[in-house]
Amino acid sequence: MSQAFSHQALFPSPDHTRKFAENLSASLHSGDVILLEGGIGAGKTHFARSLIQALQAKSGRVEDVPSPTFTLVQTYDVEPSEVWHADLYRLSHPDEIEELGLTQAFDDGICLVEWPDRLGDLWPENALLMSFEIEETSDHQDQRVITYSGDKDLWQRRVLDALPS
Ligand SMILES: Nc1ncnc2c1ncn2[C@@H]1O[C@H](COP(=O)(O)OP(=O)(O)OP(=O)(O)O)[C@@H](O)[C@H]1O
Ligand SMILES: [Mg+2]
């Protein structure tokens, strides 16, 4: 890894998160892994679904994007590369990660992974980590703070360019 990059941004509504996901989707290619950290209801699936729907719209293949809560992974045949959406919350054994084909997909596809703490030793070092936090305020119930971290050369420009103004 070269230099590390870290940035924090406030997302006042689900639409802001959707806009960021749409913008970021345009810069993704095979081998990109985005790890989505944060508690239940923090907005990980909302981000992943928005990003997948943006790529589907571009590829002309709009289908449902269910949460992979029980299937652990859902794959999407879109351009520029197959997308793997994983939710590892219910992973029963670390061996399953390899069995699901996820480690191979880290190299070949675009991967969006909820509950990445389950990855242990398989944590991909070139990944972008997005940590979601629910911001509790009396007037705005729906705010989220997202902290980004990853390799500077790989991610800084793409993340900053994708932030909604
Ligand atoms: N700024 C925001 N960004 C993202 N989601 C938001 C925001 N504000 C509110 N929400 C809402 O929060 C909810 C997040 O649910 P979501 O299923 O994405 O959570 P999750 O992190 O995937 O939870 P789980 O750990 O159960 O999978 C959605 O209903 C979404 O609309
Ligand atoms: Mg989820």
Side-chain angles (χ1 to χ4, degrees), residues 44-45 67 69 87 114-115:
K44 305 179 293 294
T45 299
S67 172
T69 313
D87 180 341
E114 300 184 42
W115 297 98

Side-chain angles (χ1 to χ4, degrees), residues 10-18 36-49 67-69 85 87 89-90 114-115 132 134 141-146:
L10 176 70
F11 290 81
S13 75
D15 278 350
H16 284 78
T17 307
R18 174 175 296 278
L36 305 170
E37 212 173 53
I40 289 167
K44 305 179 293 294
T45 299
H46 175 71
F47 167 80
R49 180 177 288 133
S67 172
T69 313
H85 180 194
D87 180 341
Y89 189 79
R90 287 185 167 73
E114 300 184 42
W115 297 98
F132 290 73
I134 300 177
Q141 311 277 294
D142 272 356
Q143 301 202 131
R144 300 290 187 274
V145 173
I146 300 177

Side-chain angles (χ1 to χ4, degrees), residues 11-64:
F11 290 81
S13 75
D15 278 350
H16 284 78
T17 307
R18 174 175 296 278
K19 189 74 202 151
F20 173 76
E22 287 171 1
N23 292 345
L24 188 70
S25 75
S27 73
L28 296 180
H29 45 74
S30 73
D32 283 336
V33 182
I34 302 179
L35 305 174
L36 305 170
E37 212 173 53
I40 289 167
K44 305 179 293 294
T45 299
H46 175 71
F47 167 80
R49 180 177 288 133
S50 303
L51 194 153
I52 291 161
Q53 285 173 337
L55 293 177
Q56 285 182 334
K58 256 197 187 166
S59 310
R61 302 169 164 265
V62 178
E63 13 158 354
D64 250 21

